[in-house]
Amino acid sequence: MTTNDKGLRAFCLALLGCVLAACGQPGGSAGPAASAPGAAFTANLKPLPGHEADAPKLTRKATVRMQTTGGDVVIDVFPEAAPNAAKRFLELVTSGFYDDTPVSRVVPGFVAQFGVNWREPHKAWKDKTFDDDPTYFALERGTLAFAKGPPNSNSTQVFINFAQNNRLADPRYNFTVFGEVVSGMDVVDKFVRVGDPSYGLDQDRLWQDGGAYLDSLAEKPTMIQHAAVVGAAR
């Protein structure tokens, strides 16, 4: 697991180079995003140490299934954990943004990252950002947060934690958990590692002409074939 300062700085610099996305396209919708308040369900999110008293109660969730070339990954998304991030992720899923896109960065013991779509009209999300949410929940193995650089630069790229990365919740970085993998973490563990060992595939080349770039690779990344909101807790 990458926990030293050098690794953390490298992570943040890599994310700074790929700040992308948007707070919501006109007419965007999160779809069937959440259950009615008070519905019973299980959430494995843990409050960050020191936030046991102020972490919001989770009473709503949406479920997303990502079909990948390595197998299916099922994700629960919690709007109360991080409202801005949850809304954006569900908007991107329902818009088809993640369909036919690569898992562009895999750092074993640290994170797997995805969320570049160079095609029209999806590329329009690249330059739209949304504000940070407060960070209340631990970055445990299997949790998801948006990749970003400076404050309030969240966009389209998301990472899944391979291990506990609570140092990323430090106010200097403020990476905020909005969901968790509830099925298929074994699939995530087998995501193909491509490109630079720390930074993965070249972000600029992906955004410019990802199709040609992927075709040029001798070793292909794991691809997200389709992502969809598949239901809400009742």
Side-chain angles (χ1 to χ4, degrees):
M1 173 181 171
T2 304
T3 55
N4 59 32
D5 290 340
K6 182 178 179 181
L8 188 56
R9 286 195 298 270
F11 175 65
C12 293
L13 287 172
L15 297 182
L16 178 60
C18 59
V19 175
L20 328 166
C23 193
Q25 290 179 325
S29 171
S35 60
F41 65 86
T42 299
N44 294 319
L45 298 190
K46 299 177 182 177
L48 279 164
H51 286 280
E52 293 83 359
D54 60 351
K57 183 179 180 181
L58 303 180
T59 65
R60 302 162 57 226
K61 76 170 183 178
T63 301
V64 169
R65 175 175 286 110
M66 290 199 320
Q67 297 170 303
T68 82
T69 51
D72 287 2
V73 179
V74 180
I75 297 162
D76 279 350
V77 177
F78 304 101
E80 291 148 329
N84 294 335
K87 178 176 182 288
R88 170 56 58 80
F89 184 69
L90 293 169
E91 286 176 335
L92 291 170
V93 168
T94 56
S95 75
F97 179 90
Y98 293 116
D99 293 359
D100 197 25
T101 63
V103 178
S104 58
R105 183 180 183 218
V106 177
V107 183
F110 191 31
V111 299
Q113 186 171 318
F114 60 90
V116 175
N117 193 333
W118 55 92
R119 307 173 186 88
E120 300 296 346
H122 303 295
K123 189 175 181 178
W125 290 97
K126 178 179 182 289
D127 298 316
K128 302 174 184 178
T129 59
F130 66 90
D131 289 346
D132 294 348
D133 293 291
T135 299
Y136 291 113
F137 292 95
L139 288 92
E140 298 280 347
R141 171 175 163 82
T143 57
L144 288 86
F146 271 85
K148 63 172 184 168
N152 303 317
S153 62
N154 309 274
S155 58
T156 64
Q157 296 205 54
V158 170
F159 62 89
I160 302 172
N161 289 291
F162 281 124
Q164 190 251 74
N165 287 317
N166 281 348
R167 292 184 67 186
L168 297 178
D170 184 286
R172 293 174 296 170
Y173 314 114
N174 195 46
F175 291 100
T176 305
V177 167
F178 67 85
E180 63 179 344
V181 173
V182 295
S183 177
M185 196 61 197
D186 57 327
V187 174
V188 176
D189 286 334
K190 296 176 183 176
F191 282 169
V192 179
R193 189 181 193 186
V194 291
D196 183 272
S198 296
Y199 302 139
L201 297 179
D202 185 309
Q203 300 290 320
D204 289 338
R205 291 186 67 185
L206 275 178
W207 280 113
Q208 289 168 6
D209 190 354
Y213 179 32
L214 295 179
D215 287 345
S216 74
L217 298 174
E219 184 176 22
K220 308 300 183 185
T222 301
M223 298 292 292
I224 299 170
Q225 298 166 310
H226 180 59
V229 178
V230 295
R234 293 289 183 256

